[in-house]
Amino acid sequence: MIYVMSDLHGCYQEYLKALKAIDFQDDDQLFVLGDVVDRGKEPVKLLQDMMMRSNVFPIIGNHDFMALSVLRKFCVEITDENVETQLDEEDMENLYHWYNDGGRVTLEQFRRLSREEQQDLLDYLEEFSLLEEVSANGKKFVLVHAGLHPFLPDKPLEDYRLEEVIFKSPNYDFVYYADKYLVSGHKPTVSIDKRKKGQIIEKNHHIAIDCGCVFGMNLGVYCLDTGEKWYIEKNK
């Protein structure tokens, strides 16, 4: 079976409960549609678990990108020789914005790792895909963190750039592909439809799966083969 979840945001315990709920097996596949880190309690443990599973495939979200950008820059030893060139004003601004947008917990846990563990984690973040296209039970799915913006119906998926897939959510009232389903996270479903608080939304060939776990709602899991849904309540 092929499963998708999104916007885990360090909700490690809920992630483990989700794997148990779906009885995740070695021959199953799980695509995690970005924003693995920041805000929640255990982003580093979550990353370390995912990187040990060959059948878990991460897709990059804006928080993962911000974390990688900042940590790569600040993970270099500062010496007398590079102190004036390694970090600039833009680097400090990026650190400030990321730290205050949920990055604090990720940074604090990252700093407690050994240098080798830090390098392994950064290498893993660099392996995150921009997007994926998969088929299940005769249907095609485009998996992306946020959306495809600007969207062009004839634009090949491989031509979309990083900044076009991690920041802006799609228009859920518009059918992007008549023959494919666009599966995305990034935007909690309660902000799409208040009646769908903590629930997965399916409409107009869109499947929105960010159920707002880190904000006290649910972690949603969706099976592409069957359309079955699971909801894991946020730990109190």
Side-chain angles (χ1 to χ4, degrees), residues 151-184:
F151 173 72
L152 298 171
D154 297 326
K155 184 175 182 176
L157 289 173
E158 59 269 22
D159 287 353
Y160 282 95
R161 303 188 304 274
L162 175 70
E163 63 271 17
E164 296 176 323
V165 298
I166 66 171
F167 292 119
K168 190 173 179 62
S169 295
N171 178 356
Y172 297 100
D173 294 323
F174 177 74
V175 176
Y176 283 24
Y177 299 109
D179 60 341
K180 303 175 187 177
Y181 294 84
L182 185 65
V183 187
S184 60

Side-chain angles (χ1 to χ4, degrees), residues 50-69:
M50 288 173 54
M51 68 190 292
M52 297 301 293
R53 298 178 187 265
S54 60
N55 57 342
V56 172
F57 305 99
I59 292 171
I60 196 163
N62 53 300
H63 280 266
D64 311 310
F65 173 68
M66 287 190 294
L68 177 62
S69 301

Side-chain angles (χ1 to χ4, degrees), residues 115-157:
R115 179 65 71 175
E116 182 179 0
E117 289 172 325
Q118 290 178 347
Q119 190 61 52
D120 287 344
L121 218 60
L122 292 175
D123 290 344
Y124 180 61
L125 282 167
E126 285 191 339
E127 294 173 2
F128 282 27
S129 300
L130 286 187
L131 52 81
E132 295 284 351
E133 184 174 11
V134 301
S135 297
N137 197 23
K139 297 179 180 179
K140 293 181 180 180
F141 301 87
V142 177
L143 314 180
V144 64
H145 173 62
L148 304 172
H149 183 79
F151 173 72
L152 298 171
D154 297 326
K155 184 175 182 176
L157 289 173

Side-chain angles (χ1 to χ4, degrees), residues 222-235:
Y222 186 90
C223 179
L224 299 184
D225 299 87
T226 65
E228 190 173 359
K229 309 175 188 69
W230 293 261
Y231 297 107
I232 310 301
E233 291 186 359
K234 176 76 171 71
N235 283 355

